[in-house]
């Protein structure tokens, strides 16, 4: 089953948030999901220890020595395996990319994030040469306005399209519930609407993103 790697050299681009949102939504929909938390700060592992009832499994004992064997094991018995990578290029990153069926590159609409996302894309292309296989990827805009795209966001989207870099049509919007997931250590269905505003909109946004992810993976398998 698919291995989905979430990667960007820049911290704060939304890697852990995107990984947690996608993993928990897919699990809530009934899929078997394992997340490999390779972020040195272990934010998703800390979230899991909060007592959530979400069935997503989180592993944090991942190193450059065992990442390939873990991925090979779990992709045979889980419907989705997501990898929240550390922020820097490393042997662990390279080995995770070697097993990826899709790489998600989170990107905030800023010049700095765009530059770092370009580095991530370059790394993917270098690994494609090393492994002599194609590694599909998509840029995912994060923390965008749910109302009207900014001019900068439109300009960056146009630049990516002109360079032939594919992007998710669904963005992961700036929504308080995504931050609240880490604070309360719950998934979107467990958060209390009396304590967290915008839950309905966040749940709809997350479901659309997870649905698009499944469509991309399905199309990829059909093309293969």
């Amino acid at each position: 089953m698919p291995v989905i790697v979430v990667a960007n050299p820049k911290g704060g681009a939304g890697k852990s948030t995107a990984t947690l949102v996608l993993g928990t939504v897919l699990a809530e929909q009934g899929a078997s999901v394992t997340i490999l938390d390779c972020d040195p700060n272990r934010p998703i592992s800390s979230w899991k220890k909060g007592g959530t009832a979400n069935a997503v499994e989180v592993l944090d004992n991942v190193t450059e020595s065992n990442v390939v064997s873990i991925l090979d094991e779990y992709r045979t018995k889980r419907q989705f395996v997501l990898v929240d990578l550390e922020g820097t290029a490393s042997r662990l990153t390279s080995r995770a990319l070697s097993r990826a069926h899709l790489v998600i590159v989170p990107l905030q609409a800023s010049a700095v994030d765009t530059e770092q996302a370009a580095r991530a894309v370059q790394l993917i292309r270098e690994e494609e040469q090393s492994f002599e296989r194609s590694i599909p990827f998509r840029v995912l805009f994060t923390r965008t306005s749910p109302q009207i795209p900014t001019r900068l966001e439109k300009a960056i989207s146009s630049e990516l399209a002109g360079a032939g870099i594919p992007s998710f049509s669904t963005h992961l919007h700036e929504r308080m519930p995504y931050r609240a997931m880490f604070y309360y250590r719950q998934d979107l269905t467990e958060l209390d609407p009396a304590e967290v505003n915008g839950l309905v909109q966040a749940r709809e946004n997350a479901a659309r993103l997870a649905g698009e992810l499944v469509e991309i993976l399905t199309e990829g398998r059909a093309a293969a």
Side-chain angles (χ1 to χ4, degrees):
M1 295 297 177
V3 172
I4 303 147
V5 172
V6 186
N8 187 319
K10 182 180 179 297
K15 293 189 300 294
S16 297
T17 301
T19 304
L20 183 61
V21 168
L22 287 169
T24 53
V25 169
L26 290 168
E28 193 273 330
Q29 292 174 347
S32 57
V33 182
T34 294
I35 294 176
L36 273 57
D37 186 357
C38 301
D39 187 313
N41 295 317
R42 301 289 190 263
I44 299 178
S45 296
S46 295
W47 169 86
K48 183 64 175 178
K49 294 173 183 176
T52 176
N54 191 285
V56 66
E57 178 183 24
V58 179
L59 304 179
D60 62 8
N61 59 335
V62 184
T63 68
E64 65 179 41
S65 300
N66 65 17
V67 63
V68 170
S69 60
I70 290 175
L71 288 173
D72 286 347
E73 175 186 355
Y74 279 84
R75 66 179 178 167
T76 63
K77 61 184 183 181
R78 308 291 278 180
Q79 289 175 287
F80 297 93
V81 180
L82 291 93
V83 186
D84 180 21
L85 280 179
E86 57 188 339
T88 58
S90 64
R91 293 181 68 183
L92 190 155
T93 297
S94 175
R95 290 175 178 179
L97 290 175
S98 75
R99 292 298 191 265
H101 296 92
L102 178 70
V103 180
I104 298 175
V105 182
L107 164 69
Q108 293 189 64
S110 72
V112 174
D113 271 46
T114 302
E115 180 180 341
Q116 295 301 314
R119 288 181 57 197
V121 171
Q122 180 60 34
L123 175 62
I124 293 167
R125 288 174 170 164
E126 290 173 0
E127 298 297 343
E128 284 182 323
Q129 294 179 348
S130 299
F131 304 135
E132 297 184 343
R133 76 172 185 90
S134 174
I135 304 176
F137 66 91
R138 291 285 191 286
V139 167
L140 170 63
F141 279 88
T142 63
R143 296 175 182 167
T144 57
S145 168
Q147 282 80 37
I148 301 174
T150 64
R151 291 183 179 179
L152 181 57
E153 184 182 328
K154 291 179 179 179
I156 293 173
S157 295
S158 178
E159 182 180 345
L160 292 174
I165 296 176
S167 302
F168 280 85
S169 59
T170 306
H171 295 182
L172 191 64
H173 296 312
E174 177 63 80
R175 293 286 188 188
M176 184 57 66
Y178 300 144
R179 299 175 185 266
M181 291 175 72
F182 288 96
Y183 182 80
Y184 291 106
R185 298 182 179 183
Q186 296 176 325
D187 70 17
L188 291 172
T189 68
E190 296 169 320
L191 292 172
D192 186 347
E195 297 177 332
V196 182
N197 294 326
L199 267 175
V200 171
Q201 296 87 343
R203 290 166 181 167
E204 291 174 349
N205 179 212
R208 285 196 302 272
L209 181 60
E212 184 175 354
L213 172 64
V214 172
E215 289 178 4
I216 291 169
L217 293 168
T218 301
E219 291 170 359
R221 287 197 295 269

